[in-house]
Amino acid sequence: MTRITSVSLRRVLDSRGNPTVEADVLTESGGFGRGAAPSGASTGEYEAIELPASESIAKAREHAVPRLEGVYAGDQRAVDNALRAADGTDDFSAIGANSAVAISMAAAKAAADVLGAPLYQHLGGAFRGENFPIPLGNVVGGGEHAKEATHIQEFLAAPVGAPSVSEAVFANAAVHAAVADVLDERGVPAAKGDEGAWAPPISDADAFEVVDEAVGRVEDEVGFEIRFGLDMAAAELYDDDEEAYVYGDETKSADEQIEYVASLVDEYDLAYVEDPLDENDYEAFAELTDRVGDRTLICGDDLFVTNVERLQDGIDAGAANSILIKPNQIGTLSDAFDAVELAARNGYETVISHRSGETEDTTIAHLAVATDAGYIKTGTVGGERTAKLNELVRIADDAV
Ligand code: PGA
Ligand code: ZN
């Protein structure tokens, strides 16, 4: 039987050294699952609410844990409905999306444990697809993840021609290393940002040159196609008062931003551009998608926040052609699945994603395989990032 008998919550460290919520779920028959909440720095305005870890734990212990005892862990919707009912708000502001997502993931793992199946198999079912997601690897970045570096938040290696997930993972690591070489040759020192990407004090224009060069070198070595992409996190660049995107001393109007991004897509043959425009500007997203959506992915992260209502608005407007899926943006695995399903039904590509603050939790690797996602964005190097990448390699090797 998979009835939940206990849910315990504790504070653990995330990759930034901040406290986050870890949940353990036990079932009647001895099934065990553990999940930990990640945490964003460039969070979208419409995300579910993360409370301070101690407060979230106290609220969840009081309101959610009693409701969960006796619920079937294998019935993910029942678990997630109990979390929603315990919270009673639309955005998990009562118990915190951090406790909610940690419990939701832990319950799924406990159910998989009872079944003796890997998590991706439990979540994806018997008829899931056989594809593997292409990892998008953050190799250069700034924005909210590293001060004094690029304005654009992330430059992402995209090994679109990799014959296997393992070769894709190693290609991204090779691009990360090649970026270090190119920076070194240019005499540019570089620390690392929150996600392990290089955070050099260079202009965005120079960063494009560096990444283009690094990608080209690795492409020659490995012999398959590697492109690159961006997370512009433009809501962080956008100034509501100025009604403009601010790049240091320079500003761009929405029209200029569309023009700029479209020219980057063509000049660098970008495979992917996430949040190129402000999270409230569906219209501008639609215009850009209309212009370049036939040759690149325009992805909504802060725009959609893994929320089916916001995604439906985007579909209606023709805004973007792909969605970033971050379970903690919405609070439960069921909600994340609903967003994936709506996206797939409407021809939107799905990209399962980590957060800048992470733990060793590997749920998103399983989620990406379970949902047949085209891509997974989970960094390139650093233990909390390689935890997911190595799990993907194990899943592909049937060794989980
Ligand atoms: P965050 O950034 O986790 O800090 O929000 C990641 C992203 O914007 O994709
Ligand atoms: Zn983003």
Side-chain angles (χ1 to χ4, degrees):
M1 300 302 273
T2 64
R3 275 185 204 277
I4 292 173
T5 50
S6 91
V7 178
S8 38
L9 299 164
R10 68 183 65 83
R11 290 191 328 152
V12 294
L13 286 167
D14 78 4
S15 55
R16 275 191 279 256
N18 294 326
T20 190
V21 180
E22 180 171 88
D24 287 358
V25 167
L26 276 173
T27 73
E28 236 166 29
S29 55
F32 170 74
R34 173 171 290 162
S39 175
S42 77
T43 45
E45 192 180 330
Y46 303 100
E47 291 194 20
I49 304 298
E50 174 189 318
L51 296 176
S54 311
E55 187 185 340
S56 180
I57 288 170
K59 296 274 175 56
R61 277 185 186 142
E62 185 184 346
H63 300 291
V65 171
R67 279 181 186 258
L68 288 160
E69 284 163 359
V71 174
Y72 283 101
D75 185 349
Q76 190 68 38
R77 291 216 182 257
V79 170
D80 294 340
N81 286 341
L83 287 166
R84 285 245 168 246
D87 180 84
T89 70
D90 282 346
D91 57 5
F92 277 113
S93 49
I95 65 168
N98 33 347
S99 281
V101 80
I103 294 169
S104 183
M105 297 191 301
K109 290 189 197 174
D113 189 32
V114 170
L115 293 169
L119 180 61
Y120 73 87
Q121 189 73 59
H122 166 53
L123 293 175
F127 301 108
R128 90 191 147 74
E130 291 290 311
N131 297 326
F132 275 88
I134 295 168
L136 298 171
N138 191 356
V139 292
V140 170
E144 293 297 303
H145 296 167
K147 303 286 177 221
E148 312 303 327
T150 53
H151 297 296
I152 291 177
Q153 183 179 284
E154 299 166 26
F155 291 75
L156 301 149
V160 293
S164 70
V165 77
S166 158
E167 279 159 285
V169 164
F170 282 98
N172 283 354
V175 173
H176 189 271
V179 165
D181 291 344
V182 177
L183 289 171
D184 196 41
E185 286 158 22
R186 293 178 172 222
V188 179
K192 285 183 191 164
D194 283 354
E195 294 182 359
W198 299 109
I202 57 177
S203 68
D204 289 8
D206 286 349
F208 276 98
E209 277 183 25
V210 168
V211 175
D212 200 35
E213 169 70 24
V215 163
R217 287 185 194 179
V218 176
E219 198 172 37
D220 289 346
E221 260 168 50
V222 297
F224 55 75
E225 188 184 8
I226 307 177
R227 290 162 71 190
F228 70 101
L230 307 172
D231 180 1
M232 300 189 76
E236 303 291 342
L237 301 171
Y238 190 71
D239 186 312
D240 285 313
D241 297 329
E242 291 195 48
E243 296 189 351
Y245 297 87
V246 180
Y247 294 81
D249 300 334
E250 252 187 70
T251 61
K252 292 186 200 295
S253 68
D255 283 345
E256 287 167 342
Q257 178 77 357
I258 292 170
E259 203 54 51
Y260 173 51
V261 177
S263 71
L264 291 173
V265 168
D266 288 337
E267 185 171 355
Y268 294 101
D269 189 25
L270 298 179
Y272 175 84
V273 188
E274 181 180 324
D275 281 349
L277 293 149
D278 182 55
E279 61 206 334
N280 291 305
D281 201 345
Y282 282 90
E283 218 174 284
F285 258 96
E287 197 177 325
L288 179 66
T289 308
D290 195 44
R291 278 184 62 170
V292 298
D294 60 337
R295 50 194 181 278
T296 194
L297 289 173
I298 299 294
C299 186
D301 169 16
D302 294 344
L303 179 70
F304 295 141
V305 292
T306 318
N307 179 315
V308 287
E309 284 165 28
R310 290 190 63 85
L311 176 58
Q312 187 62 57
D313 289 345
I315 291 164
D316 295 343
N321 55 18
S322 56
I323 178 174
L324 207 71
I325 300 289
K326 292 168 165 169
N328 82 318
Q329 274 183 331
I330 193 71
T332 71
L333 285 178
S334 299
D335 289 300
F337 261 81
D338 289 344
V340 168
E341 238 172 52
L342 180 63
R345 272 206 308 277
N346 288 278
Y348 276 50
E349 185 59 270
T350 48
V351 184
I352 310 294
S353 175
H354 66 165
R355 302 304 306 247
S356 51
E358 266 296 342
T359 71
E360 306 78 13
D361 190 290
T362 60
T363 304
I364 60 166
H366 289 264
L367 183 62
V369 174
T371 58
D372 212 16
Y375 296 85
I376 181 168
K377 193 175 89 155
T378 186
T380 307
V381 295
E384 71 283 0
R385 318 289 152 188
T386 55
K388 284 80 163 164
L389 296 169
N390 288 336
E391 189 74 349
L392 267 183
V393 169
R394 289 180 206 110
I395 294 171
D397 202 27
D398 209 10
V400 289

